[in-house]
C-alpha cells in the first residue's frame, strides 16, 4: 500500500513516464485495472483450463494498479476521488480474483469447499480494504499504509496468486488465503479500534 516499491519503480520508469506525455489519465488506468481484474476472475471461475490465462491477465491488472497512482503523482493529478476510486478498484479486483479462483476449483479436490474458501478469502480482503478506507477517513490519506521491506510492500503479495497458479498450487493458495486473509482482517480491525 506504499508507492515506493521495486514494482512501482519498474512500471514508473518503463511505462508511466512515457504515459505522462500522453492524454491517458490515472482514472483511465484505474478503470482498466477493474476491467482486467474482472476478466481475470472470470477466467479463473471457468476452471483449470483457463487458470493460466486468468493469472496472466491478473498480473496486468496488478501492474495497472501500480501505474495509476504513479501517473497521478507524476502528472500532479492526485485527487481524493482518484485515491478512493483506486482503493475501490483494488477491492473489486482482489476480492473477485479469490472468489473466481474458488469457483473454478470447485470441480477439483476441494469440491464445494473451494467456493466457500474463495468467498471467505474474498470477503476478508474486502473487509481489509474497507477498514483501510475507514482509517484514512479518520486519520488522513495513507494513515493505514504499512512500511515496505527492502522494496517490497505487503500489497505486492497479490503477485503470489498468479505464481502459485502457474506452479500448479492453486488449491494450496486458496486454502492459505482463506486462513491468512481473515487473520489480517482481524489485525487491521484491531488497528482501526486503536
Amino acid at each position: 500500500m506504499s508507492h515506493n516499491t521495486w514494482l512501482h519503480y519498474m512500471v514508473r520508469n518503463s511505462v508511466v513516464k512515457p504515459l505522462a506525455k500522453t492524454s491517458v489519465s490515472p482514472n483511465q488506468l484505474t478503470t482498466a485495472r477493474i476491467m482486467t481484474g474482472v476478466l481475470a476472475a472470470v477466467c479463473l471461475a471457468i476452471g483449470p483450463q483457463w487458470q493460466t490465462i486468468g493469472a496472466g491477465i491478473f498480473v496486468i491488472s496488478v501492474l495497472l494498479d501500480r501505474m495509476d497512482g504513479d501517473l497521478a503523482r507524476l502528472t500532479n493529478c492526485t485527487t481524493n476521488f482518484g485515491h478512493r476510486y483506486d482503493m475501490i478498484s483494488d477491492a473489486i479486483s482482489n476480492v473477485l480474483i479469490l472468489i473466481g479462483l474458488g469457483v473454478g476449483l470447485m470441480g477439483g479436490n476441494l469440491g464445494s469447499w473451494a467456493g466457500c474458501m474463495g468467498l471467505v478469502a474474498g470477503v476478508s480482503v474486502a473487509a481489509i480494504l474497507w477498514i483501510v478506507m475507514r482509517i484514512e477517513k479518520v486519520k488522513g490519506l495513507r494513515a493505514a499504509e504499512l512500511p515496505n521491506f527492502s522494496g517490497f510492500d505487503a500489497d505486492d503479495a497479490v503477485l503470489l496468486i498468479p505464481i502459485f497458479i502457474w506452479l500448479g498450487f492453486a488449491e494450496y493458495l486458496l486454502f492459505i488465503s482463506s486462513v491468512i486473509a481473515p487473520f489480517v482482517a482481524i489485525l487491521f480491525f484491531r488497528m482501526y479500534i486503536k
Side-chain angles (χ1 to χ4, degrees):
M1 299 191 194
S2 73
H3 56 269
N4 199 18
T5 67
W6 288 109
L7 195 54
H8 283 93
Y9 179 78
M10 182 186 76
V11 296
R12 184 179 306 134
N13 289 318
S14 61
V15 182
V16 175
K17 284 183 179 178
L19 267 182
K21 300 171 187 166
T22 70
S23 62
V24 173
S25 76
N27 289 341
Q28 288 171 329
L29 292 178
T30 304
T31 301
R33 177 349 185 210
I34 293 172
M35 292 169 41
T36 54
V38 170
L39 181 59
V42 168
C43 287
L44 292 182
I46 292 172
Q49 66 276 22
W50 282 83
Q51 284 181 351
T52 301
I53 295 167
I57 295 169
F58 189 65
V59 169
I60 294 167
S61 183
V62 171
L63 293 175
L64 286 165
D65 178 41
R66 300 313 185 263
M67 291 165 48
D68 59 1
D70 263 2
L71 183 62
R73 286 182 290 279
L74 191 62
T75 58
N76 257 353
C77 292
T78 58
T79 64
N80 286 337
F81 170 79
H83 178 70
R84 290 185 68 76
Y85 184 41
D86 178 46
M87 295 288 289
I88 291 167
S89 78
D90 291 349
I92 292 168
S93 298
N94 294 342
V95 167
L96 289 181
I97 201 72
L98 292 166
I99 293 172
L101 181 62
V103 169
L105 291 174
M106 286 174 60
N109 296 328
L110 297 173
S112 60
W113 283 105
C116 295
M117 287 181 204
L119 188 60
V120 165
V123 168
S124 297
V125 167
I128 293 165
L129 289 167
W130 180 81
I131 294 167
V132 166
M133 290 172 68
R134 297 297 305 158
I135 291 171
E136 288 185 347
K137 187 173 184 177
V138 172
K139 293 197 167 204
L141 291 180
R142 310 204 89 74
E145 186 173 291
L146 299 173
N148 74 53
F149 302 99
S150 299
F152 294 97
D153 184 286
D155 194 38
D156 290 341
V158 296
L159 284 175
L160 292 174
I161 294 171
I163 291 170
F164 271 70
I165 290 170
W166 289 330
L167 293 175
F169 299 121
E171 289 181 341
Y172 297 109
L173 165 72
L174 186 63
F175 175 76
I176 291 167
S177 298
S178 70
V179 172
I180 292 177
F183 176 72
V184 173
I186 292 167
L187 290 177
F188 268 90
F189 184 70
R190 290 186 67 205
M191 192 166 133
Y192 174 64
I193 297 286
K194 290 181 181 180

